[in-house]
Amino acid sequence: GHIALPRWSQSCHNPTTPTVAPATSVIPTSCTIRHPISRQTHKMSDRKITGKYVLGGSSNGKTLDVTGKKASGVVELKVSSKLVLKAAFTEDVLQKGYTAPGSKLTLTQAGVFNLNYDLSKKDFPLSGDFTTNTKVDGKDLRVKAAWQQKDNAVVLTSTYSFDKKNVIEASYALASQNVGLKATHKTNNGCTVEYVYAHPSEAWSASVAKSAKVRAKANTNTKTTSVNYKLAYDSKNNCEMKIVKNPFTLVVKSPLSNTPKFDVSATFEKGYTF
C-alpha cells in the first residue's frame, strides 16, 4: 500500500529510489512537510547604534591641556519602510538617568520631517522641522520650516540650486527677524567654496573644502578611502582647519594673532547595525 502524506506540501528525496516507483512502496529516506504559514517570513526592523567620543584640548603654543571629553551615542530603530525612531544620549545618562542633558527622542522620515522630544527639558521639550521639494523654472527648490515649542520660534529656510555646482540658501527667523545667507560653488578641480553671512550681526565666514582619495594596502588588498579637508576663516579673525577620515575627525581652531593659541578637538565616531 501507499503512504498518504498531508496535502500541505510534500518534498521528498531518496537518491536510491528510481523515478518509477515499484509495486511495493519504498519509504523515502528523507521527507519535509511544510505548512503554508511556515513560508511567511517576517523581516526584523533595522537597528543601528552609533557611538561618538570627543576629546578637546587647548594650547598656548608650549603645552597642550585636555579641556574636556565626552562620550555620546544614538540608537536607531527602523519602525517602518520610511520612519526611523532615534534615541540620543550622552555618558551623563549613567549618573543622571534618561533626563540627563543630551537625551532626546526623534521620529524622522529622511528628507521630509523630524519631530524631537528633549527629555532633559521639563518645559517646552518639543521641536521639529518639515521639508518640501519643488521646482521653479526647472531648478530644484527646497523649503524647510523649523519650529521650537519655546516661544513658538519658527525659522524658514529656502535652498535654490541653479545647477549642480551653484547653490544658494536663505533663512529667516520670524521672531528675531534674523536673516542668513549661504552661497556654495563647486569648482572644476573638485573644491567646494562656501560663503555664509548673517544679518543684523554682520557676521560672516568663508571656507574651501576638498576631498581626496587615499589608497592603503592591507596585506595583498588595496583599499581606497576618502579624506576630507576644510579650511575656514570668519569675521572674528578666527581660522579653522578640519580633517575627516572616517571614523576620525580632527578640528583645529586658532585666532590669527601674534600670540600662539589654538583649540583642538578629536572625534571618533562609529556605527554598528544589529
Side-chain angles (χ1 to χ4, degrees):
H2 297 279
I3 298 177
L5 296 176
R7 293 184 179 179
W8 296 333
S9 118
Q10 304 174 7
S11 174
C12 304
H13 175 66
N14 182 359
T16 62
T17 303
T19 304
V20 180
T24 55
S25 298
V26 178
I27 298 177
T29 57
S30 64
C31 183
T32 304
I33 301 176
R34 297 186 180 92
H35 190 277
I37 295 180
S38 67
R39 297 178 184 176
Q40 300 177 358
T41 57
H42 300 277
K43 184 179 180 181
M44 296 296 293
S45 297
D46 294 338
R47 293 163 294 182
K48 181 180 180 181
I49 183 170
T50 301
K52 178 190 291 187
Y53 187 79
V54 181
L55 184 65
S58 62
S59 175
N60 57 7
K62 297 180 180 179
T63 60
L64 177 63
D65 300 321
V66 176
T67 56
K69 48 187 176 180
K70 178 74 73 172
S72 61
V74 177
V75 178
E76 301 179 25
L77 174 64
K78 190 174 182 180
V79 296
S80 71
S81 59
K82 296 182 179 180
L83 295 179
V84 176
L85 180 63
K86 300 180 181 180
F89 58 92
T90 67
E91 62 184 39
D92 294 333
V93 75
L94 300 176
Q95 297 179 345
K96 301 180 180 179
Y98 66 91
T99 58
S103 298
K104 183 172 67 173
L105 296 176
T106 301
L107 182 65
T108 179
Q109 181 176 339
V112 179
F113 75 88
N114 295 285
L115 180 59
N116 309 307
Y117 188 93
D118 195 329
L119 298 172
S120 65
K121 295 181 179 179
K122 295 182 180 180
D123 300 323
F124 314 113
L126 293 175
S127 64
D129 59 74
F130 178 79
T131 302
T132 183
N133 296 278
T134 186
K135 287 185 177 292
V136 177
D137 296 331
K139 308 296 184 180
D140 293 329
L141 174 65
R142 183 172 68 248
V143 180
K144 178 180 179 181
W147 168 80
Q148 287 187 350
Q149 186 179 12
K150 185 177 181 180
D151 301 327
N152 279 325
V154 176
V155 177
L156 301 177
T157 303
S158 297
T159 305
Y160 184 75
S161 301
F162 294 94
D163 48 44
K164 293 183 179 180
K165 293 185 177 182
N166 298 282
V167 178
I168 189 168
E169 178 181 295
S171 63
Y172 177 70
L174 300 186
S176 63
Q177 297 186 351
N178 290 335
V179 177
L181 180 67
K182 181 170 71 173
T184 304
H185 170 70
K186 293 184 178 180
T187 64
N188 294 330
N189 61 355
C191 292
T192 299
V193 181
E194 184 178 276
Y195 177 79
V196 180
Y197 175 79
H199 178 79
S201 65
E202 296 186 355
W204 59 267
S205 66
S207 66
V208 57
K210 175 77 173 179
S211 179
K213 300 292 184 180
V214 177
R215 293 184 177 181
K217 287 187 177 181
N219 298 328
T220 58
N221 299 326
T222 301
K223 186 178 180 181
T224 302
T225 59
S226 296
V227 181
N228 300 319
Y229 305 90
K230 185 176 181 179
L231 186 64
Y233 179 76
D234 62 28
S235 55
K236 295 183 179 180
N237 205 33
N238 293 319
C239 187
E240 176 181 308
M241 180 184 67
K242 184 177 182 180
I243 302 175
V244 180
K245 183 182 182 300
N246 191 36
F248 298 100
T249 300
L250 177 66
V251 178
V252 180
K253 298 180 181 180
S254 176
L256 295 182
S257 63
N258 294 330
T259 303
K261 179 183 178 181
F262 63 87
D263 296 325
V264 59
S265 68
T267 302
F268 174 84
E269 184 173 358
K270 189 72 174 179
Y272 302 91
T273 301
F274 61 97

